[in-house]
């Protein structure tokens, strides 16, 4: 009868442990408690004696904690201060922009929006976008944590010559700069998700929003490309400088994003004429859907200029004998 | 800043804990040259005035086992099974190396403390003569 307290205690400890540890810890704990009991009170220990020994052992959650592996957190102490800062910045910008949007919709000349409705709409949007941004940032930092990026692996023999070169002024990335970039991408991503039903190409008289289905089809890929971009900015925030790795990732992720944009436009262009003929037959004869390709071409030119500038700067440094790439 | 009695006691406890932390591993490895189960080991260490609570001892044993320094087996000893730990061959080597480092450290720190004590006594003598 008195041993049922030990069984209950051990079961409670096990409840707080990972499954693969439970059996062994339970068995050892039981053996230890019985040893302790017998040593102190002999074979005729009373129920009070059992409860006394358990009380001395401490609460089951505390005992279980001492057995658990130490790194049981989503974001460790090394990343937490940065995570907190990024999260606060992103959420502040979110709230600020939505308050601004709400104010504009209310006070725009000729606006006929009911104040109560507008405030409720924007509060809902703020909550949705904040939750979404929080989830994305948490995921990025969780991945950084698990990648072990923060750990400086100690080398057996440390050579001062292995110290990284001081970055050129152009390679330095300020914390504010990377936080801002990260925040803007997060906000853009959140808005694309929240207003997913309102994005398309509006035609007068159309009952549904044409091309919203095409947009939604590509939304997961667009989101993925933006999340990759955010990972680069989080990395830059930590490193504080552009390096060959971050540059290569940035280039590859931009290329990926451009590919997604191109495929989206291509699908819209293919269906453009048929849908235009349904909604605006007069315009259908005048408009060439190939003009839509200017969107990905313009994006490609902007990216080519940006990455070309970076490469040119790196080559110039090489010529001067400073290698950073 | 002058510490009050409670602060001094708290600081003393904290520093003692820090001092014991590293040393406990050495003591446990040393004690497990002959096989023992957790409770018996705890009692044995307590008999040498080295009190260690179960919340520290059992996780330490499991960690040392996971690191390959201890081996364990369940033996039905008397009325119930008990998990016996003992030093593994790698544990033996590690213990030997740690013991050498321990001796050297104790020697260095003792010499330093003696030197400091001597220095303080000399200083006090000099100050007394000056006065």
């Amino acid at each position: 009868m008195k041993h049922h307290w030990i069984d209950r205690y051990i079961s409670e400890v096990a409840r707080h442990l990972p499954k693969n540890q439970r059996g062994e810890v339970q068995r050892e704990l039981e053996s230890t408690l019985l040893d302790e009991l017998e040593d102190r009170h002999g074979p005729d220990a009373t129920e009070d004696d059992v409860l006394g020994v358990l009380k001395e052992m401490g609460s089951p959650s505390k005992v279980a904690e001492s057995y658990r592996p130490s790194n049981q957190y989503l974001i460790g102490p090394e990343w937490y201060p940065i995570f907190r800062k990024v999260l606060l910045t992103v959420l502040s910008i979110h709230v600020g922009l939505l308050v601004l949007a709400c104010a504009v919709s209310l006070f725009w000349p000729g606006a006929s929006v009911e104040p109560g409705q507008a405030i409720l709409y924007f509060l809902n949007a703020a909550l949705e976008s904040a939750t979404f941004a929080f989830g994305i940032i948490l995921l990025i930092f969780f991945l950084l944590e698990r990648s072990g990026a923060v750990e400086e692996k100690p080398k057996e023999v440390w050579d001062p010559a292995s110290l990284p070169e001081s970055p050129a002024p152009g390679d330095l990335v300020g914390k504010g700069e990377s936080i801002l970039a990260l925040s803007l991408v997060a906000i853009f991503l959140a808005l694309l998700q929240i207003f997913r039903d309102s994005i398309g190409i509006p035609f007068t008289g159309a009952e549904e929003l044409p091309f919203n289905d095409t947009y939604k089809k590509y939304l997961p890929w667009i989101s993925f490309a933006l999340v990759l971009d955010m990972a680069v900015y989080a990395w830059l925030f930590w490193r504080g400088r552009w390096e060959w790795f971050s540059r290569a990732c940035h280039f590859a992720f931009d290329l990926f994003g451009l590919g997604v944009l191109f495929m989206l436009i291509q699908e819209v262009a293919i269906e453009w004429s048929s849908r235009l003929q349904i909604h605006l037959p007069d315009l259908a004869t005048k408009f060439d859907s190939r003009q839509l390709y200017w969107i990905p071409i313009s994006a490609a030119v902007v990216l080519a200029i940006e990455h070309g500038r970076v490469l040119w700067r790196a080559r110039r440094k090489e010529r001067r004998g400073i290698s950073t790439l | 800043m002058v510490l009050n009695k409670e602060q001094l006691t708290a600081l003393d406890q904290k520093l003692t804990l820090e001092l014991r932390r590293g040393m406990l591993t050495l003591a446990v490895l040393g004690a497990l040259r002959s096989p023992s189960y957790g409770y018996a080991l705890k009692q044995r260490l307590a008999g040498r005035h080295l009190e260690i609570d179960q919340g520290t001892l059992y996780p330490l044993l499991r960690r040392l086992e996971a690191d390959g320094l201890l081996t364990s087996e369940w033996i039905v000893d008397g009325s119930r099974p008990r998990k016996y730990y003992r030093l593994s061959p790698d544990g033996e080597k590690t213990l030997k190396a740690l013991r050498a480092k321990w001796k050297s450290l104790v020697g260095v720190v003792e010499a330093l403390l003696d030197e400091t004590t001597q220095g303080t006594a000399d200083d006090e003598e000099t100050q007394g003569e000056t006065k």
Side-chain angles (χ1 to χ4, degrees):
Chain A
M1 178 66 189
K2 68 200 174 198
H3 287 170
H4 82 105
W5 287 113
I6 293 183
D7 291 341
R8 283 166 70 165
Y9 185 84
I10 290 170
S11 301
E12 196 57 22
V13 172
R15 199 169 67 81
H16 293 91
L17 287 171
K19 268 187 188 167
N20 61 349
Q21 272 195 8
R22 282 180 194 165
E24 189 75 2
V25 171
Q26 275 180 296
R27 222 174 146 199
E28 193 172 12
L29 199 57
E30 183 183 13
S31 163
T32 306
L33 285 167
L34 291 173
D35 277 337
E36 181 107 31
L37 202 62
E38 199 175 285
D39 188 49
R40 287 199 198 174
H41 306 288
D44 303 318
T46 64
E47 197 167 338
D48 284 343
D49 295 333
V50 176
L51 291 172
V53 166
L54 294 181
K55 190 166 184 182
E56 205 172 295
M57 191 80 167
S59 76
S61 57
K62 194 181 147 202
V63 171
E65 198 185 320
S66 63
Y67 281 102
R68 275 199 299 262
S70 55
N71 59 340
Q72 291 229 319
Y73 33 65
L74 278 175
I75 297 167
E78 289 89 353
W79 279 111
Y80 184 71
I82 303 176
F83 166 75
R84 198 164 160 264
K85 210 168 175 179
V86 169
L87 189 67
L88 283 175
T89 313
V90 170
L91 292 185
S92 312
I93 294 179
H94 258 85
V95 173
L97 281 182
L98 284 164
V99 167
L100 188 72
C102 184
V104 168
S105 72
L106 281 174
F107 302 112
W108 194 258
S112 58
V113 187
E114 200 186 310
Q117 244 183 348
I119 290 169
L120 267 181
Y121 177 80
F122 281 103
L123 273 180
N124 189 41
L127 192 69
E128 262 196 68
S129 59
T131 312
F132 188 81
F134 176 76
I136 292 286
I137 292 170
L138 188 70
L139 180 70
I140 289 174
F141 278 88
F142 169 72
L143 292 175
L144 285 171
E145 176 71 42
R146 285 292 169 267
S147 73
V150 79
E151 281 173 33
E152 288 280 339
K153 297 266 184 286
K155 290 174 186 164
E156 278 180 20
V157 183
W158 180 74
D159 181 5
S162 69
L163 279 169
E165 282 177 21
S166 309
D171 289 337
L172 279 174
V173 182
K175 291 198 168 190
E177 208 180 324
S178 40
I179 287 180
L180 187 68
L182 191 65
S183 312
L184 290 176
V185 181
I187 291 166
F188 185 53
L189 182 58
L191 294 178
L192 286 184
Q193 297 286 342
I194 290 158
F195 298 106
R196 58 186 170 274
D197 293 323
S198 322
I199 295 175
I201 300 173
F203 291 130
T204 319
E207 283 175 16
E208 287 174 7
L209 190 64
F211 298 113
N212 181 254
D213 52 343
T214 319
Y215 164 72
K216 276 186 187 163
K217 187 177 150 190
Y218 282 91
L219 186 58
W221 292 106
I222 298 171
S223 307
F224 184 54
L226 291 174
V227 168
L228 290 176
D229 245 357
M230 285 168 68
V232 169
Y233 292 125
W235 177 268
L236 279 178
F237 181 86
W238 175 53
R239 300 291 291 176
R241 62 174 81 180
W242 282 105
E243 293 155 309
W244 72 267
F245 174 71
S246 44
R247 276 191 176 127
C249 285
H250 195 217
F251 181 71
F253 298 162
D254 275 353
L255 213 59
F256 174 73
L258 200 63
V260 173
L261 181 67
F262 181 79
M263 283 166 72
L264 169 68
I265 295 295
Q266 191 182 30
E267 197 161 324
V268 170
I270 290 169
E271 291 180 38
W272 180 266
S273 306
S274 57
R275 294 200 188 182
L276 201 64
Q277 249 160 7
I278 298 169
H279 302 291
L280 294 169
D282 294 343
L283 192 67
T285 49
K286 293 176 196 161
F287 189 81
D288 186 351
S289 64
R290 278 178 297 187
Q291 288 179 19
L292 287 172
Y293 285 105
W294 280 112
I295 300 172
I297 290 172
S298 311
V301 169
V302 170
L303 290 179
I305 292 172
E306 172 60 21
H307 289 287
R309 197 172 58 89
V310 167
L311 275 177
W312 179 75
R313 212 168 51 194
R315 276 200 65 186
R316 201 174 55 167
K317 266 181 280 182
E318 262 178 28
R319 277 203 297 271
R320 284 192 206 147
I322 306 165
S323 165
T324 54
L325 273 174
Chain B
M1 188 180 77
V2 180
L3 299 176
N4 63 33
K5 203 177 168 187
E6 283 83 25
Q7 285 172 320
L8 269 175
T9 312
L11 198 60
D12 178 60
Q13 282 173 350
K14 188 182 145 203
L15 293 175
T16 307
L17 210 67
E18 277 177 19
L19 200 62
R20 277 167 49 103
R21 200 169 287 148
M23 187 208 42
L24 275 179
T25 307
L26 184 60
V28 166
L29 288 176
L32 287 175
R33 277 176 295 185
S34 56
S36 180
Y37 58 95
Y39 185 71
L41 177 63
K42 179 178 171 268
Q43 294 300 90
R44 202 171 141 201
L45 294 173
R48 302 285 184 100
H49 306 290
L50 198 58
E51 300 283 348
I52 175 168
D53 68 79
Q54 300 184 11
T56 308
L57 179 63
Y58 287 93
L60 175 63
L61 289 171
R62 289 176 70 83
R63 204 173 64 239
L64 292 173
E65 189 188 7
D67 289 343
L69 300 181
L70 297 180
T71 56
S72 71
E73 62 176 328
W74 284 92
I75 295 175
V76 181
D77 176 12
S79 55
R80 62 181 158 272
R82 289 185 172 110
K83 193 179 184 184
Y84 276 77
Y85 292 91
R86 72 168 303 149
L87 215 54
S88 69
D90 282 338
E92 299 262 10
K93 286 180 209 159
T94 307
L95 176 63
K96 202 175 164 189
L98 277 179
R99 193 175 180 182
K101 281 173 193 157
W102 167 256
K103 279 185 176 171
S104 149
L105 265 176
V106 169
V108 168
V109 175
E110 277 292 340
L112 195 68
L113 289 174
D114 283 346
E115 196 179 290
T116 316
T117 318
Q118 190 61 44
T120 315
D122 289 348
D123 284 349
E124 278 171 7
E125 255 178 49
T126 320
Q127 276 177 9
E129 280 168 19
T130 318
K131 281 174 188 173

